[in-house]
CSV table of all heavy atoms in Angstrom, one decimal:
chain,number,residue,atom,x,y,z
A,53,THR,N,-17.4,43.9,-7.1
A,53,THR,CA,-16.9,44.1,-5.7
A,53,THR,C,-16.2,45.4,-5.6
A,53,THR,O,-15.3,45.7,-6.4
A,53,THR,CB,-16.0,43.0,-5.3
A,53,THR,OG1,-16.7,41.7,-5.4
A,53,THR,CG2,-15.6,43.2,-3.8
A,55,PHE,N,-14.4,48.1,-2.5
A,55,PHE,CA,-13.9,48.1,-1.1
A,55,PHE,C,-13.9,49.6,-0.6
A,55,PHE,O,-13.6,50.5,-1.4
A,55,PHE,CB,-12.5,47.5,-1.0
A,55,PHE,CG,-12.4,46.1,-1.4
A,55,PHE,CD1,-12.2,45.7,-2.7
A,55,PHE,CD2,-12.6,45.0,-0.5
A,55,PHE,CE1,-12.1,44.4,-3.1
A,55,PHE,CE2,-12.5,43.7,-0.9
A,55,PHE,CZ,-12.3,43.4,-2.2
A,57,TYR,N,-12.0,52.0,2.2
A,57,TYR,CA,-10.9,52.1,3.2
A,57,TYR,C,-10.9,53.4,3.9
A,57,TYR,O,-11.4,54.4,3.3
A,57,TYR,CB,-9.5,51.9,2.4
A,57,TYR,CG,-9.3,50.6,1.8
A,57,TYR,CD1,-9.7,50.4,0.5
A,57,TYR,CD2,-8.6,49.6,2.4
A,57,TYR,CE1,-9.5,49.2,-0.2
A,57,TYR,CE2,-8.3,48.4,1.7
A,57,TYR,CZ,-8.8,48.2,0.4
A,57,TYR,OH,-8.5,47.1,-0.2
A,59,GLN,N,-8.1,56.0,5.8
A,59,GLN,CA,-6.7,56.2,6.0
A,59,GLN,C,-6.5,57.4,6.9
A,59,GLN,O,-6.9,58.5,6.6
A,59,GLN,CB,-6.0,56.5,4.7
A,59,GLN,CG,-4.4,56.5,4.8
A,59,GLN,CD,-3.8,56.7,3.5
A,59,GLN,OE1,-4.3,57.4,2.6
A,59,GLN,NE2,-2.6,56.2,3.3
A,63,GLN,N,-0.6,56.9,8.0
A,63,GLN,CA,-0.8,55.5,8.3
A,63,GLN,C,-1.3,54.8,7.1
A,63,GLN,O,-1.6,55.4,6.1
A,63,GLN,CB,-1.9,55.4,9.4
A,63,GLN,CG,-1.4,56.0,10.8
A,63,GLN,CD,-2.4,55.6,11.9
A,63,GLN,OE1,-3.2,54.7,11.8
A,63,GLN,NE2,-2.4,56.4,12.9
A,64,SER,N,-1.4,53.5,7.3
A,64,SER,CA,-1.8,52.6,6.2
A,64,SER,C,-3.3,52.7,6.0
A,64,SER,O,-4.0,53.3,6.8
A,64,SER,CB,-1.3,51.2,6.4
A,64,SER,OG,-1.5,50.4,5.3
A,65,LEU,N,-3.8,51.9,5.0
A,65,LEU,CA,-5.2,51.9,4.8
A,65,LEU,C,-5.8,50.8,5.7
A,65,LEU,O,-5.3,49.7,5.8
A,65,LEU,CB,-5.4,51.5,3.3
A,65,LEU,CG,-5.3,52.6,2.3
A,65,LEU,CD1,-3.9,52.9,2.1
A,65,LEU,CD2,-6.0,52.2,1.0
A,67,LEU,N,-9.2,48.6,6.0
A,67,LEU,CA,-10.3,48.2,5.2
A,67,LEU,C,-11.5,48.3,6.2
A,67,LEU,O,-11.6,47.8,7.3
A,67,LEU,CB,-10.2,46.7,4.8
A,67,LEU,CG,-11.4,46.1,4.1
A,67,LEU,CD1,-11.6,46.8,2.7
A,67,LEU,CD2,-11.1,44.6,3.8
A,70,THR,N,-16.5,45.5,2.6
A,70,THR,CA,-16.5,45.0,1.2
A,70,THR,C,-17.9,45.1,0.7
A,70,THR,O,-18.9,44.6,1.4
A,70,THR,CB,-16.0,43.5,1.2
A,70,THR,OG1,-14.7,43.4,1.8
A,70,THR,CG2,-16.0,42.9,-0.2
A,80,GLU,N,-15.8,45.1,8.4
A,80,GLU,CA,-14.7,44.6,9.2
A,80,GLU,C,-15.0,44.8,10.7
A,80,GLU,O,-15.9,45.6,11.1
A,80,GLU,CB,-13.4,45.3,8.8
A,80,GLU,CG,-13.0,45.1,7.4
A,80,GLU,CD,-12.7,43.6,7.1
A,80,GLU,OE1,-11.8,43.0,7.8
A,80,GLU,OE2,-13.4,43.0,6.2
A,112,PHE,N,-9.4,60.4,5.6
A,112,PHE,CA,-9.3,60.3,4.1
A,112,PHE,C,-10.0,58.9,3.8
A,112,PHE,O,-9.5,57.9,4.3
A,112,PHE,CB,-7.8,60.3,3.7
A,112,PHE,CG,-7.6,60.5,2.2
A,112,PHE,CD1,-8.2,61.6,1.6
A,112,PHE,CD2,-6.8,59.7,1.5
A,112,PHE,CE1,-7.9,61.8,0.2
A,112,PHE,CE2,-6.5,59.9,0.2
A,112,PHE,CZ,-7.1,60.9,-0.5
A,114,ILE,N,-11.0,56.1,1.0
A,114,ILE,CA,-10.6,55.7,-0.4
A,114,ILE,C,-11.4,54.4,-0.7
A,114,ILE,O,-11.6,53.5,0.1
A,114,ILE,CB,-9.1,55.3,-0.4
A,114,ILE,CG1,-8.3,56.5,0.0
A,114,ILE,CG2,-8.7,54.8,-1.8
A,114,ILE,CD1,-6.8,56.2,0.1
A,118,THR,N,-12.9,46.1,-8.1
A,118,THR,CA,-12.2,45.0,-8.6
A,118,THR,C,-12.8,44.6,-10.0
A,118,THR,O,-14.0,44.5,-10.1
A,118,THR,CB,-12.3,43.8,-7.7
A,118,THR,OG1,-11.8,44.2,-6.4
A,118,THR,CG2,-11.6,42.6,-8.2
A,123,PRO,N,-7.2,39.2,-14.1
A,123,PRO,CA,-6.6,38.9,-12.8
A,123,PRO,C,-7.2,39.5,-11.6
A,123,PRO,O,-6.6,39.6,-10.6
A,123,PRO,CB,-5.2,39.3,-13.0
A,123,PRO,CG,-5.3,40.5,-13.8
A,123,PRO,CD,-6.4,40.2,-14.8
A,124,TYR,N,-8.5,40.0,-11.7
A,124,TYR,CA,-9.2,40.6,-10.6
A,124,TYR,C,-8.4,41.7,-9.8
A,124,TYR,O,-8.3,41.7,-8.6
A,124,TYR,CB,-9.6,39.5,-9.5
A,124,TYR,CG,-10.3,38.3,-10.2
A,124,TYR,CD1,-9.6,37.1,-10.3
A,124,TYR,CD2,-11.6,38.4,-10.7
A,124,TYR,CE1,-10.3,36.0,-10.9
A,124,TYR,CE2,-12.2,37.3,-11.3
A,124,TYR,CZ,-11.5,36.1,-11.3
A,124,TYR,OH,-12.2,35.1,-11.9
A,125,GLU,N,-7.9,42.6,-10.6
A,125,GLU,CA,-7.1,43.7,-10.0
A,125,GLU,C,-8.0,44.7,-9.4
A,125,GLU,O,-9.1,44.9,-9.8
A,125,GLU,CB,-6.2,44.3,-11.1
A,125,GLU,CG,-5.1,43.5,-11.5
A,125,GLU,CD,-4.1,44.3,-12.4
A,125,GLU,OE1,-4.1,45.5,-12.3
A,125,GLU,OE2,-3.3,43.6,-13.1
A,126,GLN,N,-7.4,45.3,-8.3
A,126,GLN,CA,-8.1,46.4,-7.6
A,126,GLN,C,-7.6,47.7,-8.2
A,126,GLN,O,-6.4,47.9,-8.3
A,126,GLN,CB,-7.9,46.4,-6.1
A,126,GLN,CG,-8.8,45.4,-5.4
A,126,GLN,CD,-8.8,45.6,-3.9
A,126,GLN,OE1,-8.8,46.8,-3.4
A,126,GLN,NE2,-8.7,44.5,-3.1
A,128,PHE,N,-8.0,51.9,-7.5
A,128,PHE,CA,-8.3,52.7,-6.4
A,128,PHE,C,-8.8,54.1,-6.9
A,128,PHE,O,-8.3,54.6,-7.9
A,128,PHE,CB,-7.1,53.0,-5.5
A,128,PHE,CG,-6.8,51.8,-4.7
A,128,PHE,CD1,-6.1,50.7,-5.2
A,128,PHE,CD2,-7.3,51.7,-3.4
A,128,PHE,CE1,-5.9,49.6,-4.4
A,128,PHE,CE2,-7.0,50.6,-2.6
A,128,PHE,CZ,-6.3,49.5,-3.1
A,129,GLY,N,-9.8,54.6,-6.2
A,129,GLY,CA,-10.2,56.0,-6.4
A,129,GLY,C,-9.2,57.0,-5.9
A,129,GLY,O,-8.3,56.6,-5.1
A,130,PRO,N,-9.4,58.3,-6.2
A,130,PRO,CA,-8.4,59.3,-5.7
A,130,PRO,C,-8.6,59.7,-4.2
A,130,PRO,O,-7.8,60.4,-3.7
A,130,PRO,CB,-8.7,60.5,-6.6
A,130,PRO,CG,-10.1,60.3,-7.0
A,130,PRO,CD,-10.4,58.8,-7.1
A,131,GLY,N,-9.7,59.2,-3.6
A,131,GLY,CA,-9.9,59.5,-2.2
A,131,GLY,C,-10.8,60.7,-2.0
A,131,GLY,O,-10.9,61.6,-2.8
B,39,PHE,N,2.1,42.8,-4.3
B,39,PHE,CA,1.9,44.1,-5.0
B,39,PHE,C,2.7,45.2,-4.3
B,39,PHE,O,2.9,45.2,-3.1
B,39,PHE,CB,0.4,44.5,-4.9
B,39,PHE,CG,-0.6,43.5,-5.4
B,39,PHE,CD1,-1.0,42.5,-4.6
B,39,PHE,CD2,-1.0,43.5,-6.7
B,39,PHE,CE1,-1.9,41.6,-5.0
B,39,PHE,CE2,-1.9,42.6,-7.2
B,39,PHE,CZ,-2.4,41.6,-6.3
B,41,TYR,N,2.1,49.3,-4.2
B,41,TYR,CA,1.3,50.5,-4.6
B,41,TYR,C,2.0,51.8,-4.2
B,41,TYR,O,2.8,51.8,-3.3
B,41,TYR,CB,-0.1,50.5,-3.9
B,41,TYR,CG,-1.0,49.5,-4.4
B,41,TYR,CD1,-1.0,48.2,-4.0
B,41,TYR,CD2,-2.0,49.8,-5.4
B,41,TYR,CE1,-1.9,47.2,-4.4
B,41,TYR,CE2,-2.9,48.9,-5.9
B,41,TYR,CZ,-2.8,47.6,-5.4
B,41,TYR,OH,-3.7,46.7,-5.9
B,43,GLN,N,1.4,56.0,-3.5
B,43,GLN,CA,0.4,57.1,-3.2
B,43,GLN,C,1.1,58.4,-3.2
B,43,GLN,O,2.0,58.7,-2.3
B,43,GLN,CB,-0.2,56.8,-1.9
B,43,GLN,CG,-1.4,57.8,-1.6
B,43,GLN,CD,-2.0,57.5,-0.2
B,43,GLN,OE1,-1.4,57.0,0.7
B,43,GLN,NE2,-3.3,57.9,-0.1
B,46,GLY,N,-2.0,63.5,-1.4
B,46,GLY,CA,-3.4,63.9,-1.6
B,46,GLY,C,-4.2,63.0,-2.6
B,46,GLY,O,-5.3,63.4,-3.0
B,47,GLU,N,-3.6,61.9,-3.0
B,47,GLU,CA,-4.2,61.1,-4.0
B,47,GLU,C,-4.5,59.7,-3.5
B,47,GLU,O,-4.0,59.3,-2.4
B,47,GLU,CB,-3.3,61.0,-5.3
B,47,GLU,CG,-3.1,62.3,-5.9
B,47,GLU,CD,-2.2,62.2,-7.2
B,47,GLU,OE1,-2.0,61.1,-7.7
B,47,GLU,OE2,-1.8,63.2,-7.7
B,48,GLY,N,-5.2,58.9,-4.3
B,48,GLY,CA,-5.4,57.5,-4.0
B,48,GLY,C,-4.2,56.7,-4.3
B,48,GLY,O,-3.1,57.2,-4.7
B,49,LEU,N,-4.4,55.4,-4.3
B,49,LEU,CA,-3.2,54.5,-4.6
B,49,LEU,C,-3.2,54.1,-6.1
B,49,LEU,O,-4.3,53.9,-6.7
B,49,LEU,CB,-3.4,53.2,-3.8
B,49,LEU,CG,-2.8,53.2,-2.4
B,49,LEU,CD1,-3.5,54.2,-1.5
B,49,LEU,CD2,-2.7,51.8,-1.8
B,50,GLN,N,-2.0,53.9,-6.6
B,50,GLN,CA,-1.8,53.4,-7.9
B,50,GLN,C,-1.0,52.2,-7.8
B,50,GLN,O,0.0,52.1,-7.1
B,50,GLN,CB,-1.1,54.5,-8.8
B,50,GLN,CG,-1.7,55.8,-8.9
B,50,GLN,CD,-0.9,56.8,-9.7
B,50,GLN,OE1,0.0,56.4,-10.5
B,50,GLN,NE2,-1.0,58.1,-9.4
B,51,LEU,N,-1.4,51.2,-8.6
B,51,LEU,CA,-0.6,50.0,-8.7
B,51,LEU,C,0.7,50.3,-9.4
B,51,LEU,O,0.8,50.8,-10.5
B,51,LEU,CB,-1.3,48.9,-9.4
B,51,LEU,CG,-0.6,47.6,-9.6
B,51,LEU,CD1,-0.3,46.9,-8.2
B,51,LEU,CD2,-1.4,46.6,-10.5
B,54,LYS,N,3.5,44.2,-9.7
B,54,LYS,CA,2.9,43.0,-9.0
B,54,LYS,C,3.7,41.8,-9.4
B,54,LYS,O,4.3,41.8,-10.5
B,54,LYS,CB,1.5,42.9,-9.2
B,54,LYS,CG,1.1,42.5,-10.7
B,54,LYS,CD,-0.4,42.3,-10.9
B,54,LYS,CE,-0.7,41.9,-12.3
B,54,LYS,NZ,-2.1,41.7,-12.5
B,94,PHE,N,3.4,51.4,-0.6
B,94,PHE,CA,2.8,50.3,0.2
B,94,PHE,C,3.0,49.0,-0.5
B,94,PHE,O,2.7,48.8,-1.7
B,94,PHE,CB,1.3,50.5,0.2
B,94,PHE,CG,0.8,51.7,1.0
B,94,PHE,CD1,0.6,53.0,0.4
B,94,PHE,CD2,0.7,51.7,2.4
B,94,PHE,CE1,0.2,54.1,1.1
B,94,PHE,CE2,0.3,52.8,3.1
B,94,PHE,CZ,0.0,54.0,2.5
B,101,THR,N,-9.1,35.1,-4.9
B,101,THR,CA,-9.2,35.3,-6.4
B,101,THR,C,-10.2,36.4,-6.6
B,101,THR,O,-10.0,37.5,-6.4
B,101,THR,CB,-9.4,34.0,-7.1
B,101,THR,OG1,-10.6,33.4,-6.5
B,101,THR,CG2,-8.3,33.1,-7.1
B,102,SER,N,-11.4,36.0,-7.0
B,102,SER,CA,-12.4,37.0,-7.3
B,102,SER,C,-12.7,37.9,-6.1
B,102,SER,O,-12.9,37.5,-5.0
B,102,SER,CB,-13.7,36.3,-7.7
B,102,SER,OG,-14.7,37.3,-8.0
B,103,GLY,N,-12.7,39.2,-6.3
B,103,GLY,CA,-13.0,40.2,-5.2
B,103,GLY,C,-11.9,40.1,-4.2
B,103,GLY,O,-12.2,40.2,-3.0
B,104,SER,N,-10.7,40.0,-4.6
B,104,SER,CA,-9.6,39.8,-3.7
B,104,SER,C,-9.4,40.9,-2.7
B,104,SER,O,-9.4,42.1,-3.1
B,104,SER,CB,-8.3,39.7,-4.5
B,104,SER,OG,-8.3,38.6,-5.3
B,105,ARG,N,-9.3,40.6,-1.4
B,105,ARG,CA,-9.0,41.5,-0.4
B,105,ARG,C,-7.5,41.7,-0.3
B,105,ARG,O,-6.7,40.8,-0.4
B,105,ARG,CB,-9.5,41.0,1.0
B,105,ARG,CG,-11.0,41.0,1.1
B,105,ARG,CD,-11.3,40.2,2.4
B,105,ARG,NE,-10.6,40.7,3.5
B,105,ARG,CZ,-11.1,40.9,4.7
B,105,ARG,NH1,-12.4,40.6,4.9
B,105,ARG,NH2,-10.4,41.3,5.7
B,106,LEU,N,-7.1,43.0,-0.1
B,106,LEU,CA,-5.7,43.3,0.0
B,106,LEU,C,-5.3,43.5,1.5
B,106,LEU,O,-6.0,44.2,2.2
B,106,LEU,CB,-5.3,44.6,-0.8
B,106,LEU,CG,-5.3,44.4,-2.3
B,106,LEU,CD1,-5.3,45.8,-2.9
B,106,LEU,CD2,-4.1,43.6,-2.8
B,108,PHE,N,-2.4,45.3,3.5
B,108,PHE,CA,-1.3,46.3,3.3
B,108,PHE,C,-0.3,46.3,4.4
B,108,PHE,O,-0.6,46.1,5.6
B,108,PHE,CB,-2.0,47.7,3.2
B,108,PHE,CG,-2.7,48.0,1.9
B,108,PHE,CD1,-4.1,47.8,1.9
B,108,PHE,CD2,-2.0,48.4,0.8
B,108,PHE,CE1,-4.7,48.0,0.7
B,108,PHE,CE2,-2.7,48.7,-0.4
B,108,PHE,CZ,-4.1,48.4,-0.4
B,109,GLY,N,0.9,46.7,4.0
B,109,GLY,CA,1.9,47.1,5.0
B,109,GLY,C,1.6,48.5,5.5
B,109,GLY,O,0.7,49.1,5.0
B,110,GLU,N,2.5,49.0,6.4
B,110,GLU,CA,2.3,50.3,7.0
B,110,GLU,C,2.6,51.5,6.1
B,110,GLU,O,2.2,52.6,6.3
B,110,GLU,CB,3.1,50.4,8.3
B,110,GLU,CG,2.6,49.5,9.4
B,110,GLU,CD,1.2,49.8,9.8
B,110,GLU,OE1,0.9,51.0,10.0
B,110,GLU,OE2,0.3,48.9,9.8
B,111,GLY,N,3.3,51.2,5.0
B,111,GLY,CA,3.7,52.3,4.1
B,111,GLY,C,5.0,52.9,4.5
B,111,GLY,O,5.4,52.9,5.6
Side-chain angles (χ1 to χ4, degrees):
Chain A
T53 302
F55 299 90
Y57 297 86
Q59 186 179 31
Q63 292 190 23
S64 190
L65 281 73
L67 179 64
T70 303
E80 296 299 301
F112 194 53
I114 302 175
T118 302
Y124 308 110
E125 285 192 22
Q126 277 194 43
F128 286 79
Chain B
F39 308 84
Y41 286 87
Q43 184 180 30
E47 299 183 10
L49 273 67
Q50 300 174 27
L51 178 64
K54 67 177 182 180
F94 292 94
T101 53
S102 180
S104 297
R105 291 169 51 141
L106 288 166
F108 286 94
E110 291 299 309

